[in-house]
Amino acid sequence: MLERWEAKGAAVTVREIAPGEMTILRLRRPSQADLRRVGKLLGAKLPTEPNRATDGSLRAIWIGPDEWLLWGEAPLPAAIEAAARDAVTALAVPVGDGRCVFEVTGAGAADLMAKGSSIDLVHQVASSEMSAMTRFAQVHVLIDR
């Protein structure tokens, strides 16, 4: 049984959660039709604006102009590649074993995140559709609100 880490304070809780299925998806020069077709297969629209994320049957997080992190019950990478292959070059690589996920909650969560990174996490600036790749306490992270 895999143990999970958790720390609680008066105003903040940080806990490790099981990362689940994570896949990096890369599509080379996809058209809008390609993005719609692959998004339909995934059950989530692929965001095309920087630092955005969308929900559906999985969470699709934009991490580059032609690259997304898919988090959740994604179809097998081979199925993703096959759906995209006829129009674009596609690559889907499972990465869940190489990553960990921490959930930060509580009234002091934004303060904790502000101390460790340079990202403005005020609700008006960082909505639930926002994500950002940055450093947190000198570690490369992807912050997904």
Side-chain angles (χ1 to χ4, degrees), residues 6-142:
E6 184 173 319
K8 290 185 179 185
V12 67
T13 298
V14 179
R15 70 181 181 102
E16 182 182 10
I17 59 175
E21 297 291 325
M22 285 186 170
T23 302
I24 296 287
L25 172 64
R26 289 187 178 164
L27 302 175
R28 185 172 179 208
R29 296 188 206 121
S31 68
Q32 289 300 318
D34 296 329
L35 292 172
R36 281 191 300 274
R37 188 179 65 252
V38 174
K40 186 174 181 178
L41 169 73
L42 297 172
K45 181 180 176 185
L46 294 174
T48 55
E49 291 181 49
N51 302 317
R52 298 284 181 189
T54 58
D55 281 318
S57 60
L58 56 82
R59 183 99 168 143
I61 303 168
W62 185 97
I63 56 176
D66 61 354
E67 189 172 0
W68 297 266
L69 174 67
L70 308 176
W71 184 20
E73 295 301 320
L76 294 174
I80 297 168
E81 287 182 49
R85 187 172 289 132
D86 62 339
V88 296
T89 303
L91 173 67
V93 179
V95 295
D97 290 339
R99 300 188 182 223
C100 59
V101 177
F102 291 95
E103 179 181 63
V104 182
T105 58
D111 291 337
L112 174 66
M113 298 304 292
K115 295 284 185 192
S117 74
S118 60
I119 303 294
D120 188 354
L121 298 172
V122 177
H123 285 284
Q124 294 84 351
V125 176
S127 69
S128 63
E129 295 86 31
M130 299 292 286
S131 65
M133 293 178 70
T134 187
R135 292 174 67 98
F136 182 86
Q138 304 306 315
V139 176
H140 293 282
V141 298
L142 172 66

